[in-house]
Amino acid sequence: MFLPAFFRLATLSVAATLTVLGAHVFLRLTGEGGLTAVDFLRTALVAFSGFWLVWGSSAAILGVFRPVRIDTGKSGGGPQGMTAILVPVYNEDPIATFSRIAAMNRSLVDLGISHKFHFVILSDTQVMETAAQEVVWFNRLIEEPDAIGRIFYRRRERNIGRKAGNIEDFIARSGAAYDYALILDADSLMEGATIAAMARRMDGDEQLGLLQTVPHVIHARTLFGRSLQFASTYLSPTFARGAALMAGNEGPYWGHNAMVRMRAFAACCGLPVLSGKPPFGGHILSHDYVEAALLSRGGWKVNLDPSMTGSYEEGPENLIEYAKRDRRWCQGNLQHARLVDAPGLKIWSRFTFIQGIMAYMASPLWLLLLAASVIAALFPDMPTAMPGFVNINFSAWTLIVAVAVVLLLPKFAILSRGMFDGHNRRFGGTLRSLASVLGEIVVSTLLAPTLLLLQSRSVMQVLLGIDGGWPATTRGQNWVDLKTAFHASWWIVAIAILTLGGILILAPASAVWVAPAMVPAILAPFLISITSRPTSNAGTPLLFATDSELSRPSIVDAQRAIFAAWTGQGTQDAGLITVRTAQHVTA
Amino acid sequence: MKHSADFPFARALPDAPLDMPKQMLERRSLLDLLRMTLSALTGR
């Protein structure tokens, strides 16, 4: 417990010191000749938003200096406990989902440990045609080796409590038959060896309540998706290593690709329905963070282990799908404001809630800072509240460069370390990694203003009490045509044109500060559309190549082969499959 | 939550219920506590 406390304190000290320094520099710059009320507001916003920027970067730097340990899970025997591998689905493509289950099952069968693992498909599917298809493809799935008596399917007619309610329903009915549950998403894919290693870790540490892996994104095909995929595989493990150092035994749970101890989870994680109406009341949306906090409250260890390889997921392929998911997460994280003072929680759990809330509140705060700066530029003769500073011997660029360093330093530190520890080699060498890091910086910088406005809108909607619901994830939707992109982002273009146009007319000298944010926002429809274009199918593209593309994991190959075989057979031998109607789907 | 009889599936999920008690996440107000105490005393 000493080490996490030390790292938390050290990171907090660094973040606080740099924030105070940054705020002081900003105040000196804006306060030349006299400080107005708007200057104080802007400084407060810079300090508040800047702190979270520095905090995130400090965590990553911490991860750069932590030794890397790779655990492929290949050593060690079979686990002792029984594990239920839970696959909650909600209007997903059953062929893709079930082919992943088939691949994971074959991987466990090959290791000779399949008798210790059951798969349970927990369907909350509400579209009846999809539900009927699930039964059709379940018939195919149970033709897999050792499937009978080990692979189960059940569907709820009403998806009460969404994913958390789905899992709770399973535990309430069958939980006592299992020691552990590996909780997956419909797009999760894990090597059998990794699953076995997780179960062995649970066997070996009776206090371990939850073990979270860092899933790597796979199968991305568009520029947007591949940029995200590269960030998740090349950069995220280092950020996670830093976060894990600070979290210690009070780590995060991301809702999937994680194993829980069944009796601990059952005893601690029955989620209540919050009083009041959505978005702040009702069922808890971002249940994973809450479940991690509750396990910690119950005295169980919650560990994040970035060293475990063989854990994969898929990501959104375009900015519109990303924003849809982000809207859901935004509502879920802001709902945690109700839980920050929940009785008995560990301080770190409360801080994690605040961190999650700030991940979304940061966007409207940056926007407010931009708006306040525009006002300051438009009305330079506002009455001063305090005498200002004199002899300012540095320019505004000092602050811009400082922000850029905070944002970019972790990425280049990861690249530098990768030259020595073999990380870059797995991604095609240092030059290729450098090109991808630079590409990721360009893509994320160009899309940042659009995301800032989208997130600000989400926050405003939640604060106004508008419930975003729980739209199903649309996987495999790639290209967004210009018309659709414009339909989704016209208001962003309008805001950007009005802001930049107003500044150019009324305070042209300040346009240089506003243009870097507003020009990409004006181009939002083009950027959304261009980044959603699938990349060439011929080989691995030069940019954003990942280790799993350059040396494809066996589980990914297996899943692709099963998917191809099933879809090929499905069209050729369709007559062999009994197409059942929805009445065969038990609820 | 068993599969229907004609479902081509050898064994249904185990009947092994595990209690999952609802957790307290919201702090109760003084009024709530008073109301609960009175309910307990009056047996209602």
Side-chain angles (χ1 to χ4, degrees), chain A residues 34-49:
Chain A
L35 285 159
T36 67
V38 174
D39 292 333
F40 283 114
L41 173 70
R42 288 159 74 197
T43 306
L45 287 168
V46 163
F48 198 59
S49 310

Side-chain angles (χ1 to χ4, degrees), chain A residues 139 142 148 151-153 168 171-176 266-268 270-272 275 297 338 341-342 584 586, chain B residues 1-4 6-27:
Chain A
N139 276 288
I142 56 174
I148 301 296
I151 303 186
F152 304 89
Y153 170 92
E168 194 175 325
I171 293 173
R173 286 160 195 276
S174 305
C268 300
L271 297 182
S275 58
R297 181 171 83 171
R338 292 276 308 274
D341 72 336
H584 293 90
T586 53
Chain B
M1 199 61 66
K2 302 240 180 193
H3 294 289
S4 57
D6 65 336
F7 199 82
F9 185 64
R11 219 172 82 185
L13 274 170
D15 277 325
L18 188 58
D19 189 30
M20 208 163 169
K22 295 288 178 201
Q23 300 297 309
M24 250 274 285
L25 282 171
E26 293 180 274
R27 286 194 187 275

